[in-house]
Amino acid sequence: MGKLIKNIIFDIGNVLLDFNPEGYLRSKIEEESIEQLYKDVFRSEEWIMLDRGTITERQAKENIIKRSSLNEELINKAFDGWYDILTPIEENVSILKKLSEENYKIYYLSNFHLAAFRYVNTKYDFFNEFDGGVVSFEEKLLKPETEIYEKIIDRYDLELEETLFIDDTEENINAAKKIGIKTIHLKSQNGLLDELKKYNILV
C-alpha cells in the first residue's frame, strides 16, 4: 500500500474559483461579437503572457486593440470588471477548509495574472487556509511546464508519494503525473468529494 496523502495542491481556476469568460461576455456584449471577442482576448498570446508575468494588463490591452478587428470599446469592455467572474465554487472551498481542519497541508499551484491574483487573494478569505503556493506570474513559469511543479515540490520539501494535485485541465494533470505526483483530474466542479474518496480522503 502506498503512502498516505499529507499534502494537497489545488489549482484555482474552475477548481476553487469559477472562471467562465464566455458567460461573462454574454452579460455585457451583443451576441454577434462574443465569439470573436473571446478569441481576441481570452485566447490571445497576451493572456498567456499575463499568466507568465511578462506583460502588464495595460500593455496586453493595447496590443489586443491594435491587432483585433473589433473596436477599442469592445476590448475595453471585456477587460473592465472581468475579475468579478472569479467567484468561489462554494462546495470545493468548503472541502478545502475541512481538509485544512483535518491537518492536511494545503497549497495552490495556478496560472494566474498578477492583478487578478491580488484581487481574489484580498477578496476571498479561503486564501488564508493555504500553507503556501506557487503562482505563474511570480515564477515566470506556466503549467504544464515541468519546472513549475518542481518549484512547489522543492520549495515546500514535499514527498511526491504523499502529495495530491487537483486540476481541471488534463494537460496539467499529465505533467504532474510524469514527475510522480498523485492527481485528480476534476472534470466536474461538483465531483471533488467522490474523487478524494478514491484516495481514502474523507471530509
Side-chain angles (χ1 to χ4, degrees), residues 129-144:
E129 304 290 340
F130 289 110
D131 295 287
V134 166
V135 64
S136 60
F137 74 85
E138 288 182 342
E139 309 301 334
K140 307 295 187 280
L141 294 168
L142 292 172
K143 294 179 297 181

Side-chain angles (χ1 to χ4, degrees), residues 20-34 37 42 61 73-85:
N20 179 11
E22 289 165 296
Y24 158 73
L25 291 175
R26 281 197 181 85
S27 72
K28 302 183 75 169
I29 308 293
E30 294 296 325
E31 183 67 38
E32 65 268 16
S33 303
I34 288 171
L37 192 57
F42 294 98
K61 198 191 302 185
E73 183 186 357
L74 281 174
I75 306 297
N76 283 324
K77 267 190 178 181
F79 273 94
D80 183 30
W82 80 264
Y83 305 163
D84 290 334
I85 67 174

Side-chain angles (χ1 to χ4, degrees), residues 3-200:
K3 290 189 178 181
L4 294 176
I5 299 296
K6 294 181 180 177
N7 317 299
I8 303 177
I9 304 172
F10 284 83
D11 176 33
I12 296 175
N14 287 326
V15 174
L16 296 171
L17 292 176
D18 191 38
F19 177 61
N20 179 11
E22 289 165 296
Y24 158 73
L25 291 175
R26 281 197 181 85
S27 72
K28 302 183 75 169
I29 308 293
E30 294 296 325
E31 183 67 38
E32 65 268 16
S33 303
I34 288 171
E35 187 177 342
Q36 188 64 47
L37 192 57
Y38 173 73
K39 181 181 173 186
D40 287 358
V41 175
F42 294 98
R43 290 295 180 187
S44 67
E45 179 186 350
E46 284 76 16
W47 200 259
I48 295 168
M49 292 166 74
L50 282 165
D51 274 346
R52 196 182 285 279
T54 56
I55 194 172
T56 67
E57 200 163 289
R58 180 178 175 181
Q59 289 168 326
K61 198 191 302 185
E62 288 172 356
N63 288 1
I64 292 167
I65 286 168
K66 284 177 189 173
R67 188 175 61 243
S68 177
S69 61
L70 300 171
N71 65 46
E72 183 174 341
E73 183 186 357
L74 281 174
I75 306 297
N76 283 324
K77 267 190 178 181
F79 273 94
D80 183 30
W82 80 264
Y83 305 163
D84 290 334
I85 67 174
L86 296 164
T87 55
I89 301 166
E90 296 294 352
E91 181 180 347
N92 293 350
V93 168
S94 175
I95 291 168
L96 177 145
K97 289 179 177 178
K98 287 174 184 171
L99 290 168
S100 180
E101 288 167 8
E102 295 288 334
N103 295 317
Y104 288 93
K105 293 290 185 182
I106 307 295
Y107 304 92
Y108 56 81
L109 178 62
S110 191
N111 291 348
F112 231 98
H113 304 182
L114 182 154
F117 185 77
R118 288 181 178 169
Y119 174 82
V120 297
N121 197 285
T122 303
K123 184 169 184 179
Y124 301 122
D125 67 354
F126 72 82
F127 280 90
N128 297 328
E129 304 290 340
F130 289 110
D131 295 287
V134 166
V135 64
S136 60
F137 74 85
E138 288 182 342
E139 309 301 334
K140 307 295 187 280
L141 294 168
L142 292 172
K143 294 179 297 181
E145 294 163 3
T146 302
E147 293 83 358
I148 199 167
Y149 300 92
E150 292 173 341
K151 181 79 69 173
I152 194 167
I153 294 298
D154 293 345
R155 180 171 295 170
Y156 300 104
D157 197 24
L158 307 179
E159 272 203 50
L160 293 172
E161 288 188 13
E162 297 176 347
T163 301
L164 177 64
F165 172 58
I166 304 164
D167 198 291
D168 66 310
T169 304
E170 187 172 13
E171 193 177 13
N172 297 341
I173 288 294
N174 290 340
K177 282 180 181 176
K178 278 183 182 175
I179 68 165
I181 302 172
K182 293 180 167 68
T183 61
I184 288 175
H185 181 196
L186 195 66
K187 298 175 185 177
S188 167
Q189 289 182 357
N190 61 4
L192 183 54
L193 269 183
D194 288 338
E195 293 296 327
L196 287 169
K197 286 175 185 173
K198 295 175 184 177
Y199 288 97
N200 294 316

